[in-house]
Structure formats: structure tokens, C-alpha cells
């Protein structure tokens, strides 16, 4: 059913463009790219771009490049290169050996600039950055031409070479494209394409002291790699005329085409690098991969799967107008993905002892239970049962309201996969906290015994005390106070939710959990999906992140 519906979904506007280009022969074989700047960790928005570009290459039998757009030496770090490669691979976007660095094209970019100078399409300008700004004009007034605009080709070639040879200080001279100071598009008013910057670059060291500007470099990178469709986000729409100018003036035979789509935004979620950095630096979160964040490494650590992220970005769709998705949709996607994949476990997060007074003191038995009732392929397991159990504190009430069907004095419930028990009493400490609950069991009611007697309305989960494994569970809420929204309008800070992390150190899980490895995922019945934490979990002290609870108000859009 679901598949049928998905196949009927009409093609997005980028697919329509590509199919037209293929049909008309202006594109022979599709090549896309993901071009991150290695200046931070990737987040869910980048995942959309990665999966979109990779998906298009797959769909049209083309190629997909991972290219580091590392032309700005001030902000970039090798640390980020490694994390980005790991994230792209994890998402399943296989770039094979098509890994490129824009900084390897500096020589070709330099030659491209020389070509423009020779064509009379670029000039060296001595105006200061402030003067360039004031000469630029405004949206309503045209700009003023630079007094250096009419330098001869020979003079420009010499000055540009001098720039390259380190003869000028930063900001002393720039190379500008000669386009049109009266253009209604500010990006076309003789934009700067090369600047002097005496800064070491993480890849090329001190080889260069001039660096190309993004708008000049990017189309060249695309053209060199044979990218056919250069997909970027909407803020570059106004830069497209410059992109087209660069590839036209450089006379590339197969010029790439820029296509813009709307960024992915998540309601009440922090995605901006600047803000995540703030949270990391102020130690409000445990690094870039804190499970409350939506960087790819954080989502992975929390327990999201590549499949769930892919499903999510597909549901978000591709469009030209900004829209905001709900985190609840991402939660829907992970629940749906894990529902059949994960083994289910009984885990008690807030334990209180339940003692079965009529169960023999030293006896233990093993019950046969399916690992996942909805997926028999996961097989069966043994669950130990004994006289003393742990149950969750909220499954017992001394004075229950109406419609409370769990344990209370006199009431009978089913212990999941085991027997019926009837509550006979309980004990409290001096502060009024329940310390233990007493009950009796009915041996006739053993699960799977064919018992067809009386019915009970409540079923609760439990863990046998003797064999229980003590673990830590971390429960998460949005790090943002959703009532107030992400940003505090007065001082630009973030509105944080003080309850975004709850650490429960005294949880008990059935022994089948032993041996769980980082990233292993389970459904703790009635509690949610949990994932073994990669940073803090140890074989003898397991730590679990709650990926998502089981309850959902989200409905898949029709
Ligand atoms: P941010 O400012 O959010 O960290 P960025 O745009 O600075 O992101 P880049 O490394 O420049 O990050 O982006 C790499 C690619 O990812 C670009 O093609 C960019 O358009 C795309 N991208 C970035 N953010 C999003 C988003 N929210 N949704 C979709 N694509 C995005
Ligand atoms: Mg950027």
C-alpha cells in the first residue's frame, strides 16, 4: 500500500529539470555534488542536501561527488573534514573514490582569473574595502565605477601576479570581475573575485596568499568536476547570474547549472552552527554529538538510523518555498523504522520491589518469550522469573483514580508474559514512599498455558530482581523551551528547557540485555526505543539513550 502511494508521488521540480535536460541532450550523464565547508559538524539540514544530491545521481544513473569547499583559509579545520566524511558515509551516500577538495584547484582558479583579465573581464582594484562598499550603491541607486576599472590588460596581469607573489598586504588590492555597476543585481556590480590574505591554509599551507571568493570559486569547482546540476539553497538564487557569468566567460564546454531549493527547517530546534557552538562552548551540552542536538553525529549517537533520516527528508519533500517541519515527524520515522527491527526488553526505569508471597522462596523459572511479538523472525528468548521482582513505581497506586487498571490494593493484573498477581499490601518508609509491594500469584494463569479463566484489564512489565542488570537510562526532552521558541528576542540568547536531560541511574533490565554494544537498539516495552550510548556505556555499566518514547500524536500526511 505504502509503496504504491510513494510511487504515485509526482516528480519534484529538480527531477523535472534534470529529465528535460536529459531529453534535450544538454546533459548526457548526471553528476551532482555535496559541497560542505569544513567549518563545523553536519546537521539534519545537510542530510537533506546529501540525500537529495545522492538520490538524484542514483536515480539517473549518474555520479555523486563529495567535495570540500575549502577555499576560505580562516575558518576551516581538518577535524571537520573527518567528521563530515564519516557522516556522509553513514548516511549511505556512497561517493566511492569521488572525494575532492576545492583547494586542489587553486592553480586552475588562478588561471581562470588570468583568462578573465586577458579577455578584459577582470581588473585589479586598489580601493579599500570601505570604498568598495560605498561605491557599490544600494538597491535603489546604481553603483559608481572604480577609478581603476580601465587599467590595461598588461597592467592587470602584472598587478595580479604581484598579488600572487605576496607583494601586497591584506586588503591592499583585490581582483574584481568587470560586469556592470548599474546592474539591479548587486552581486553583478563588479564583484571581488580574488583577495589577498596572508593566512596558512589547512591543505595548501603557505603556497598561496591570494584566495578566490566563493561566487567565483564555486562554479569553477563544479565545471572542473563535470558537475551537471549544482544544487544549492535559496539564498544563492540572487547569485545565479554571477554563477552563469563565470561559466560563460570561462567558456566551459559543458557548463554546470545552478538550481536552488528551500532549506530544511525544524520547528523549535537549534540547527545553526553558531548556536550549537554556543551550547558546546558553554558546556550546556556534552559536545557536538550530545543526543539532544540534531547534528548527524548527535542523531547517530541518540540512536537514529540512516533509513529514518532518509524517510524524514523524503516526507519533507523538495520545494522552492521555505517550510518548517516538526520534530514529531522525525520521531514518527524512527519509530516506524525500529518497530520491527528491534528486540523488545522489559526494563524498569523507576523501580520498586514486588514480592510474590506465595511463590517458593528459592525458586526461579525461565519463561519463553518472543523477542518481538510483531516480528517472529527475531525468535524467542528466555526470561527469568522469581519471587522478587522490580516493577515501575507508576504501575502501583495506593489510592487509584477511576480507570486506573494497574496495581492497587486488592486488584489483579497480568505480569507481562508471566502470571496474574493480586496486590495484597504494601509498605512505606517514614517519608511516605512505597518501599515494597506484596502480592500473590495464581499458578493456573501462566502465560501460554491455555488458561481461559477470568480476565484482567491491566498488564504491567517487570524484571526478576535476582538476575536484573542495573543500567543507566538517559531521557531527553527538547533542549529548547517550546513555549518560548528558540531565540530570546531581547538578547539573542536561546530559551533553554531546564528539564531537557533526565539521568536515571538505578534502572533494571532483564539479563538478555547483557553484551549489548554501542549503537545497539532495543524497545523497552512501554518506555520507548533505547540505544546504547557510544561514549559512556561500558560492558559492565551499560548506558542507554532514549531515542523516542512510544506515544505519538503525529499522523502521516495523506
Ligand atoms: P549552516 O550555516 O546551517 O551550518 P552552511 O550552509 O554554512 O550551513 P555548508 O557547509 O556551506 O553549510 O553547506 C553545505 C551544503 O549544505 C550547501 O549546499 C547548503 O546549501 C546545504 N545546506 C545547509 N543547510 C541546509 C539546510 N538547512 N537544508 C538543506 N540544505 C542545507
Ligand atoms: Mg556556509
Amino acid at each position: 500500500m505504502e509503496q504504491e502511494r510513494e510511487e504515485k508521488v509526482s516528480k519534484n521540480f529538480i527531477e523535472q529539470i534534470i529529465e528535460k535536460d536529459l531529453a534535450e541532450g544538454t546533459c548526457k550523464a548526471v553528476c551532482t555534488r555535496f559541497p560542505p565547508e569544513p567549518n563545523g559538524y553536519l546537521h539534519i539540514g545537510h542530510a537533506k542536501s546529501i540525500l537529495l544530491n545522492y538520490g538524484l545521481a542514483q536515480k539517473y544513473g549518474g555520479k555523486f561527488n563529495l567535495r570540500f569547499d575549502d577555499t576560505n583559509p580562516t575558518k576551516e579545520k581538518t577535524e571537520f573534514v573527518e567528521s563530515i566524511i564519516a557522516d556522509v558515509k553513514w548516511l549511505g551516500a556512497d561517493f566511492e573514490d569521488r572525494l575532492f577538495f576545492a583547494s586542489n584547484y587553486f592553480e586552475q582558479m588562478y588561471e581562470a582569473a588570468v583568462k578573465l583579465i586577458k579577455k578584459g573581464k577582470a581588473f585589479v582594484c586598489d580601493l579599500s574595502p570601505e570604498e568598495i562598499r560605498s561605491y557599490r550603491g544600494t538597491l535603489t541607486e546604481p553603483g559608481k565605477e572604480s577609478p581603476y576599472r580601465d587599467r590595461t590588460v598588461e597592467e592587470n596581469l602584472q598587478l595580479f601576479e604581484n598579488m600572487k607573489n605576496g607583494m601586497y598586504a591584506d586588503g591592499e588590492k583585490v581582483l574584481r570581475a568587470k560586469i556592470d555597476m548599474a546592474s539591479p543585481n548587486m552581486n553583478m556590480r563588479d564583484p571581488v573575485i580574488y583577495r589577498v590574505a596572508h593566512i596558512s591554509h589547512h591543505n595548501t599551507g603557505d603556497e598561496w596568499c591570494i584566495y578566490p571568493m566563493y561566487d567565483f570559486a564555486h562554479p569553477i569547482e563544479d565545471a572542473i568536476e563535470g558537475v551537471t546540476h549544482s544544487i544549492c539553497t535559496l539564498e544563492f538564487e540572487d547569485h545565479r547570474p554571477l554563477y552563469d557569468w563565470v561559466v560563460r566567460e570561462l567558456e566551459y564546454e559543458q557548463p554546470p547549472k545552478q538550481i536552488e531549493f528551500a532549506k530544511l527547517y525544524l520547528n523549535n530546534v537549534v540547527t545553526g552552527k553558531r548556536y550549537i557552538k554556543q551550547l558546546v562552548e558553554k558546556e550546556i551540552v556534552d559536545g557536538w554529538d550530545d543526543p539532544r542536538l540534531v547534528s548527524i553525529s548527535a542523531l547517530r549517537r541518540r540512536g537514529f538510523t540512516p533509513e529514518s533520516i532518509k524517510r524524514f527528508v523524503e516526507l519533507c519533500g523538495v520545494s522552492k518555498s521555505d517550510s518548517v517541519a516538526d520534530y514529531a515527524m522525525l520521531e514518527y520515522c524512527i519509530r516506524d523504522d525500529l518497530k520491527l527491527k528491534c528486540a523488545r526488553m522489559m526494563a524498569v526505569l523507576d523501580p520498586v520491589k514486588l514480592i510474590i508471597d506465595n511463590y517458593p522462596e528459592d525458586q526461579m523459572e525461565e519463561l519463553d518469550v518472543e523477542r518481538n511479538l510483531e516480528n517472529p523472525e527475531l525468535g524467542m528468548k528466555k526470561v527469568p522469573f522469581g519471587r522478587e521482582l522490580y516493577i515501575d513505581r507508576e504501575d502501583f497506586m495506593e489510592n487509584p483514580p477511576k480507570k486506573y487498571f494497574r496495581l492497587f490494593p486488592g486488584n489483579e493484573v497480568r505480569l507481562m508474559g508471566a502470571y496474574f498477581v493480586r496486590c495484597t499490601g504494601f509498605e512505606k518508609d517514614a517519608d511516605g514512599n512505597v518501599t515494597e509491594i506484596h502480592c500473590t500469584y495464581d499458578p493456573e494463569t501462566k502465560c501460554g498455558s491455555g488458561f481461559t479463566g477470568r480476565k484482567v484489564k491491566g498488564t504491567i512489565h517487570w524484571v526478576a530482581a535476582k538476575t536484573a542488570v542495573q543500567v543507566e537510562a538517559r531521557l531527553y526532552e527538547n533542549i529548547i523551551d517550546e513555549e518560548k521558541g528558540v531565540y530570546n528576542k531581547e538578547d539573542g540568547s536561546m530559551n533553554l528547557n531546564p528539564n531537557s536531560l533526565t539521568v536515571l541511574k538505578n534502572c533494571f533490565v532483564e539479563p538478555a540485555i547483557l553484551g549489548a554494544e554501542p549503537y545497539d537498539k532495543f524497545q523497552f516495552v512501554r518506555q520507548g526505543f533505547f540505544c546504547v550510548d557510544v561514549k559512556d556505556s561500558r560492558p559492565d555499566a551499560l548506558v542507554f539513550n532514549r531515542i523516542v518514547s512510544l506515544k505519538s500524536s503525529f499522523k502521516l500526511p495523506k
Side-chain angles (χ1 to χ4, degrees):
M1 262 308 279
E2 202 140 89
Q3 219 153 24
E4 265 172 44
R5 199 193 60 237
E6 276 175 6
E7 276 163 20
K8 275 189 213 139
V9 166
S10 62
K11 297 197 168 66
N12 69 48
F13 79 99
I14 300 179
E15 292 168 336
Q16 290 172 11
I17 294 173
I18 292 177
E19 290 185 15
K20 185 160 175 278
D21 291 345
L22 287 170
E24 290 174 354
T26 50
C27 168
K28 305 250 154 19
V30 171
C31 181
T32 60
R33 89 287 174 260
F34 174 65
E37 218 187 316
N39 64 354
Y41 287 84
L42 298 182
H43 55 61
I44 183 92
H46 296 114
K48 175 162 184 177
S49 175
I50 293 165
L51 294 169
L52 172 64
N53 279 291
Y54 176 68
L56 290 168
Q58 287 283 96
K59 180 163 185 180
Y60 297 105
K63 291 179 175 142
F64 167 73
N65 299 355
L66 172 59
R67 178 212 311 150
F68 285 96
D69 201 343
D70 58 351
T71 54
N72 179 354
T74 49
K75 291 190 288 182
E76 297 156 2
K77 278 206 217 150
T78 314
E79 173 200 350
F80 297 127
V81 169
E82 279 153 24
S83 81
I84 290 172
I85 290 176
D87 288 348
V88 172
K89 282 190 178 160
W90 179 75
L91 280 172
D94 185 4
F95 51 87
E96 298 164 18
D97 55 356
R98 307 185 61 77
L99 169 65
F100 303 107
F101 290 84
S103 56
N104 288 339
Y105 311 143
F106 280 157
E107 188 64 44
Q108 282 143 289
M109 291 174 188
Y110 178 78
E111 281 159 20
V114 168
K115 178 168 180 157
L116 290 184
I117 296 174
K118 287 185 176 161
K119 289 178 76 175
K121 298 285 183 176
F123 65 99
V124 173
C125 182
D126 300 1
L127 293 179
S128 70
E130 298 74 42
E131 287 167 325
I132 290 180
R133 215 169 299 131
S134 75
Y135 274 57
R136 239 181 133 208
T138 63
L139 283 173
T140 49
E141 288 163 59
K144 220 165 59 177
E145 291 187 351
S146 162
Y148 304 99
R149 199 173 198 262
D150 295 321
R151 279 177 162 154
T152 63
V153 169
E154 287 66 38
E155 194 185 354
N156 281 319
L157 284 172
Q158 186 60 55
L159 292 171
F160 188 49
E161 198 179 324
N162 293 348
M163 279 171 66
K164 177 186 150 189
N165 290 337
M167 288 172 62
Y168 309 119
D170 294 7
E172 201 178 324
K173 283 189 172 37
V174 291
L175 184 71
R176 299 176 67 176
K178 196 190 278 187
I179 310 180
D180 178 8
M181 287 308 288
S183 172
N185 184 332
M186 302 281 281
N187 296 308
M188 301 297 272
R189 295 185 185 172
D190 292 3
V192 173
I193 57 177
Y194 256 98
R195 66 190 171 120
V196 176
H198 292 270
I199 307 171
S200 279
H201 184 278
H202 77 103
N203 179 25
T204 56
D206 293 323
E207 197 184 330
W208 295 89
C209 65
I210 54 170
Y211 291 97
M213 304 303 287
Y214 179 89
D215 282 340
F216 177 65
H218 206 85
I220 295 176
E221 295 159 25
D222 287 338
I224 289 172
E225 291 174 13
V227 167
T228 54
H229 298 84
S230 175
I231 298 163
C232 62
T233 41
L234 281 182
E235 70 272 25
F236 290 101
E237 198 164 21
D238 288 345
H239 297 241
R240 186 173 0 118
L242 181 51
Y243 185 101
D244 290 341
W245 184 90
V246 171
V247 295
R248 188 171 64 244
E249 291 301 338
L250 292 174
E251 299 163 48
Y252 290 110
E253 267 168 41
Q254 301 281 331
K257 181 186 250 184
Q258 175 179 308
I259 305 170
E260 312 86 20
F261 73 103
K263 274 194 174 183
L264 170 66
Y265 293 101
L266 275 174
N267 211 357
N268 280 329
V269 172
V270 192
T271 47
K273 257 174 226 168
R274 195 157 65 88
Y275 288 95
I276 293 184
K277 211 163 160 227
Q278 252 185 56
L279 295 172
V280 173
E281 281 168 2
K282 289 187 183 160
E283 297 183 14
I284 293 166
V285 295
D286 167 33
W288 284 85
D289 60 355
D290 184 290
R292 288 165 291 179
L293 300 175
V294 291
S295 63
I296 311 247
S297 52
L299 291 167
R300 178 168 57 230
R301 181 172 170 200
R302 177 127 171 203
F304 282 86
T305 57
E307 293 80 5
S308 65
I309 295 174
K310 182 158 184 269
R311 179 87 188 279
F312 173 70
V313 301
E314 281 169 4
L315 286 174
C316 288
V318 179
S319 94
K320 269 268 183 200
S321 54
D322 281 331
S323 65
V324 184
D326 276 326
Y327 189 81
M329 190 156 89
L330 185 58
E331 293 188 319
Y332 163 83
C333 293
I334 187 66
R335 269 189 211 104
D336 201 50
D337 186 37
L338 296 183
K339 197 170 58 189
L340 300 181
K341 282 185 187 169
C342 288
R344 296 179 184 178
M345 295 272 169
M346 289 198 282
V348 172
L349 302 187
D350 183 11
V352 61
K353 272 253 174 94
L354 177 71
I355 298 161
I356 308 171
D357 292 310
N358 63 339
Y359 194 89
E361 197 116 356
D362 292 319
Q363 186 175 314
M364 287 292 285
E365 63 183 300
E366 286 197 311
L367 306 169
D368 291 304
V369 176
E370 270 184 297
R371 286 212 170 82
N372 183 330
L373 272 175
E374 291 174 63
N375 182 6
E377 276 176 27
L378 294 184
M380 304 290 290
K381 65 173 172 181
K382 302 269 184 206
V383 182
F385 183 85
R387 186 172 193 266
E388 293 197 4
L389 312 174
Y390 291 113
I391 64 168
D392 255 300
R393 199 164 276 281
E394 63 170 27
D395 285 337
F396 172 79
M397 281 186 102
E398 183 181 352
N399 298 302
K402 271 197 184 133
K403 303 223 167 144
Y404 184 88
F405 300 122
R406 290 170 275 167
L407 265 188
F408 54 87
N411 193 39
E412 187 173 49
V413 297
R414 175 189 286 108
L415 292 176
M416 196 177 282
Y419 299 92
F420 287 9
V421 291
R422 186 178 299 280
C423 179
T424 53
F426 61 94
E427 279 163 37
K428 279 189 191 175
D429 63 15
D431 300 325
N433 299 310
V434 175
T435 51
E436 55 183 54
I437 302 161
H438 289 265
C439 66
T440 53
Y441 87 119
D442 176 356
E444 300 292 307
T445 60
K446 184 167 178 176
C447 186
S449 67
F451 171 75
T452 54
R454 60 198 185 275
K455 292 210 162 36
V456 287
K457 280 195 169 156
T459 299
I460 66 174
H461 62 278
W462 50 275
V463 172
K466 208 177 240 166
T467 51
V469 179
Q470 190 176 356
V471 307
E472 175 176 323
R474 299 174 181 173
L475 311 184
Y476 302 103
E477 285 178 19
N478 194 345
I479 194 156
I480 293 302
D481 181 338
E482 296 183 359
E483 308 245 296
K484 295 190 183 143
V486 179
Y487 307 108
N488 182 332
K489 289 197 182 75
E490 268 142 48
D491 60 4
S493 64
M494 280 165 275
N495 296 313
L496 298 176
N497 167 10
N499 304 318
S500 60
L501 170 64
T502 304
V503 178
L504 303 171
K505 290 190 179 280
N506 190 35
C507 307
F508 292 102
V509 189
E510 54 175 291
I513 201 73
L514 284 171
E517 309 249 0
Y519 298 120
D520 281 354
K521 298 166 189 58
F522 303 92
Q523 182 186 136
F524 289 171
V525 291
R526 300 174 63 215
Q527 315 272 16
F529 290 99
F530 286 74
C531 177
V532 179
D533 188 70
V534 65
K535 260 194 185 168
D536 301 330
S537 191
R538 301 285 170 268
D540 57 350
L542 295 169
V543 176
F544 289 88
N545 297 314
R546 180 152 72 183
I547 311 167
V548 67
S549 68
L550 298 177
K551 295 182 201 94
S552 166
S553 55
F554 177 81
K555 291 242 163 40
L556 197 61
K558 285 261 165 10

